[in-house]
Structures are given as structure tokens and as C-alpha cells.
Amino acid sequence: QVQLVESGGGLVQPGGSLRLSCAASGSDFSRNYMGWYRQVPGKQRELVALIGSDGSTNYADSVKGRFTISRDNGKNTIYLQMNSLKPEDTAVYYCNAKKNWSDYWGQGTLDTVSS
């Protein structure tokens, strides 16, 4: 059974940083795209960042230059380093993995940016 478990969320002041982790189990995703999405109440889930098996990355315009996605294939884990956080970054962040035309999701972690 595939499981994606996020950690590292929490409350931070504007301008601060958070680092999210997502550990996958039940399948090897080293050759697959993985990424981070986020969602706020009343809005659709949106892509934050994607990373390919070769380390290529893609970011939403709203986070470019502030967020960095990375992966450790040996640990079947991806990370999201979030710097210069803004109140509008407040959301539930979800880890995603794509394999064999299926999407796998973590349970989500709430990140709140507030003074």
C-alpha cells in the first residue's frame, strides 16, 4: 500500500521559513514525478512545485525564487524549502506522486503564515 507522509508544517511569521518533507513508502518513486500542491478553503488545489526523476523542476510563478523543491531518491523522499513566506502562502500543503497513470496524495500539512 502506497503512503505519502508529510511533515514540517506549522506556524511562522511573515518573512520566515519552513521546510516540508514527504516520505513515500509502498512503492519506489525514484523514476517518477513528485511534487507539492496547496489548497485554501473555497479554492481549487494548485500546483506549487514539481520535480522529475532527473531533478528537473517546475514552480508556480507565485513561489519562484522563494521555494525550492528537492528529492533524495535513496530515501524515497522529497522536500520543499519555503523562504520569505507571505500570509498568502497559508494553506494545506499536499505531497503528490505520479506513477502508472495514478496520482497518490499525502494527508496534507497546514502551514500558517501570520504575525
Side-chain angles (χ1 to χ4, degrees), residues 34-102:
M34 296 186 72
W36 293 95
Y37 290 71
R38 66 186 181 187
Q39 188 171 24
V40 298
K43 292 190 176 182
Q44 286 189 331
R45 193 171 296 187
E46 64 175 6
L47 172 68
V48 176
L50 277 178
I51 187 164
S53 58
D54 60 354
S56 59
T57 57
N58 187 31
Y59 295 95
D61 288 342
S62 58
V63 307
K64 282 181 182 177
R66 300 187 299 122
F67 291 11
T68 302
I69 188 171
S70 60
R71 67 191 300 163
D72 183 336
N73 287 334
K75 295 182 178 179
N76 219 17
T77 298
I78 63 169
Y79 307 93
L80 186 67
Q81 178 66 43
M82 304 186 292
N83 298 329
S84 303
L85 283 161
K86 304 175 182 180
E88 51 264 43
D89 293 317
T90 296
V92 177
Y93 284 72
Y94 295 91
C95 176
N96 171 266
K98 304 180 186 298
K99 189 171 187 177
N100 298 333
W101 301 280
S102 294

Side-chain angles (χ1 to χ4, degrees), residues 2-4 27 29 95-100 102-106:
V2 174
Q3 281 193 316
L4 302 178
S27 184
F29 290 103
C95 176
N96 171 266
K98 304 180 186 298
K99 189 171 187 177
N100 298 333
S102 294
D103 275 295
Y104 299 93
W105 295 95

Side-chain angles (χ1 to χ4, degrees), residues 11-24:
L11 173 65
V12 65
Q13 292 187 341
S17 298
L18 283 174
R19 186 178 189 235
L20 305 183
S21 299
C22 171

